[in-house]
Amino acid sequence: MHSHSQPHGDAAAPSAGPIAAAPDAGAPAVHGTRGHSAHRSVTDHRQAVRELLEPLLSRERTETLPLVEALGRGLAEDITAPLSLPPFPNSQMDGFAIRSGDVPDGGADLRVAAPVPAGASPAPLQPGTAVPIMTGAMLPEGADAVVPIEQAVPSVFPVAGEEAEVRLPATAAGTFIRAVGSDIEAGRPALAAGTCLGPAQLGLLAALGLPAVLVHKQLSVLLVTTGDEVVEPGEPLGDGKIYDANGTLLESALRQAGLAVTRSGISADSPEALRTLLRTHTSAVDLIVSTGGVSKGAYEVVRQAMDGQDVTFQHVAMQPGGPQGLGTFDGVPLLAFPGNPVSCLVSFEMFLRPVLGELFGAPAPRPAVRARLAQPLSSPAGKHQVRRGSLQGDGTVRLQGGESSHLVQALAHSNALVHVPVGTTVLNEGDEVEVWML
């Protein structure tokens, strides 16, 4: 029901599954009317979230940023390499550039020519000579191999300006040479639109000579937590009251996913007050996310506040986090998550976070790995269960806490979500499961 850290409303609700899991059985998504229908599958609900947010994907919602400011953003266009990497043949080692044909099987003594430092434009290699060359330096015209300095006799570079010879072993053509375009050729795809830009991707763009990049703008979200029984941390805790965990939990998750978050504070259980609060922010945000007030009890304020709005309330076949609301409030996309802390975070991880990554390229997907259970578990029939767990160094995953959706301490000690797909009701110790790393 509401945003807090105690049992409430959906403690026995079903759970959602990972993108990579087999499709769940369930009723088709319901759009456009407020109400409650048969359980919807995780896959169908995620698709409904995708369709809700897809209109936000437009050219007008992109911007060009300097590379270092684009960290964590989603790439908004395909990037084609404007040049080859490397752009010229260069040495992979400190050593001597040679013509392989100048050195027979038994080795040969070659006259040492002027050295080639990195960044220099070398003169062509003369027959019977060896050129001292540094790692990354341009290969002289005529050279087709590099002999590492360690294989030379003597195994040191001669003093600049002194005449010298060096004995080198036979070396096959192409040895320790980085060919033009061996990393990427000019005109080839470099990065696809939708790529999440991390340090490696930004480094590639810099290597290609691009100073800036077109990315999706940061989405803005209004986060609303509800409940007469919850108070902000730090305030006096009266009888029957609990501290709000969901506001901090979800704001942190949303910010970590790259969204700009506006917190409304805690909304009381008054539909009129909630509608007024929402309307003070709708003109400035792209998305509304609420927690609590979505079940079928007598004081479900989010459900009540959505009268006359294009919002559907439905039960999804997952545990925890089954009660879900989805639609638009005054035309602004709205996702209504349940109020138990674990339920709201699982809802975010199962529905909003992956859709943001699919549509806007950020955040990056959660790493999905296979692990063996360190203990048995049971799962409700017809539901996709998501358990909290800790992946161990030996490849096993140990469950943290039970199935209940109020166990914040267990969540805090977890580093993974453990997925039990629809149709699986019992798993034994040692059975393999998919886990998402948090």
Side-chain angles (χ1 to χ4, degrees):
M1 284 176 49
H2 304 303
S3 51
H4 31 261
S5 55
Q6 296 294 325
H8 212 86
D10 70 326
S15 242
I19 296 171
D24 333 81
V30 178
H31 303 285
T33 58
R34 183 177 180 275
H36 187 90
S37 64
H39 289 192
R40 173 153 58 189
S41 74
V42 166
T43 301
D44 285 343
H45 193 69
R46 186 183 291 121
Q47 178 60 25
V49 173
R50 193 183 197 283
E51 292 171 1
L52 178 69
L53 299 186
E54 203 160 13
L56 298 177
L57 192 64
S58 68
R59 186 79 181 184
E60 290 70 32
R61 293 178 179 269
T62 62
E63 59 185 340
T64 299
L65 293 179
L67 294 186
V68 292
E69 295 180 21
L71 179 64
R73 296 290 190 93
L75 183 60
E77 64 180 355
D78 294 335
I79 301 291
T80 299
L83 52 81
S84 293
L85 294 180
F88 51 83
N90 67 83
S91 177
Q92 190 176 335
M93 306 286 286
D94 288 350
F96 291 90
I98 63 169
R99 298 174 186 266
S100 58
D102 286 346
V103 183
D105 288 345
D109 293 319
L110 300 179
R111 183 170 54 85
V112 178
V116 181
S121 178
L125 179 67
Q126 299 302 312
T129 63
V131 173
I133 191 167
M134 307 301 115
T135 302
M138 179 183 287
L139 199 70
E141 181 184 343
D144 65 0
V146 172
V147 180
I149 184 66
E150 295 84 0
Q151 297 179 16
V153 179
S155 59
V156 293
F157 293 126
V159 176
E162 289 186 0
E163 290 190 6
E165 286 191 346
V166 64
R167 186 162 187 84
L168 301 174
T171 304
T175 301
F176 294 123
I177 290 176
R178 299 166 176 159
V180 174
S182 55
D183 188 357
I184 186 172
E185 296 177 347
R188 302 288 294 178
L191 292 174
T195 298
C196 186
L197 295 172
Q201 292 74 32
L202 294 170
L204 171 60
L205 297 179
L208 291 170
L210 302 176
V213 63
L214 186 71
V215 296
H216 295 287
K217 286 184 177 179
Q218 188 179 41
L219 294 182
S220 58
V221 58
L222 172 66
L223 175 59
V224 182
T225 58
T226 65
D228 286 337
E229 76 277 31
V230 289
V231 297
E232 296 284 4
E235 294 183 1
L237 196 64
D239 291 343
K241 305 291 186 179
I242 56 174
Y243 287 121
D244 174 34
N246 286 10
T248 298
L249 185 68
L250 266 186
E251 180 177 0
S252 301
L254 292 164
R255 290 190 184 280
Q256 191 179 64
L259 283 77
V261 182
T262 298
R263 278 277 289 277
S264 70
I266 300 170
S267 175
D269 284 338
S270 161
E272 295 77 14
L274 178 55
R275 283 191 289 266
T276 298
L277 182 151
L278 294 177
R279 287 182 171 128
T280 63
H281 295 280
T282 49
S283 63
V285 297
D286 301 306
L287 172 66
I288 300 167
V289 172
S290 68
T291 70
V294 297
S295 295
K296 294 189 289 184
Y299 300 101
E300 303 299 341
V301 64
V302 176
R303 290 178 66 98
Q304 295 168 354
M306 293 302 114
D307 262 337
Q309 298 288 334
D310 187 15
V311 177
T312 297
F313 291 91
Q314 190 166 24
H315 214 83
V316 176
M318 72 180 203
Q319 182 195 52
Q324 297 286 331
L326 178 147
T328 59
F329 178 86
D330 289 355
V332 178
L334 177 142
L335 296 177
F337 294 153
N340 275 300
V342 176
S343 298
C344 75
L345 185 66
V346 166
S347 299
F348 167 77
E349 291 289 343
M350 298 306 296
F351 301 126
L352 181 53
R353 194 179 194 280
V355 166
L356 291 172
E358 290 173 19
L359 290 177
F360 306 104
R366 291 293 191 193
V369 300
R370 306 294 296 182
R372 290 173 288 106
L373 283 172
Q375 65 213 83
L377 62 75
S378 61
S379 182
K383 296 179 181 179
H384 185 116
Q385 188 184 66
V386 182
R387 297 286 294 271
R388 282 70 64 208
S390 295
L391 186 65
Q392 310 295 307
D394 61 359
T396 62
V397 61
R398 182 167 299 280
L399 301 179
Q400 294 284 351
E403 300 174 10
S404 297
S405 53
H406 68 290
L407 302 175
V408 182
Q409 189 265 355
L411 180 64
H413 288 84
S414 301
N415 65 7
L417 296 179
V418 181
H419 295 280
V420 186
V422 169
T424 300
T425 57
V426 176
L427 289 172
N428 299 314
E429 180 181 346
D431 284 347
E432 196 174 71
V433 291
E434 178 174 303
V435 303
W436 286 2
M437 300 307 299
L438 297 176

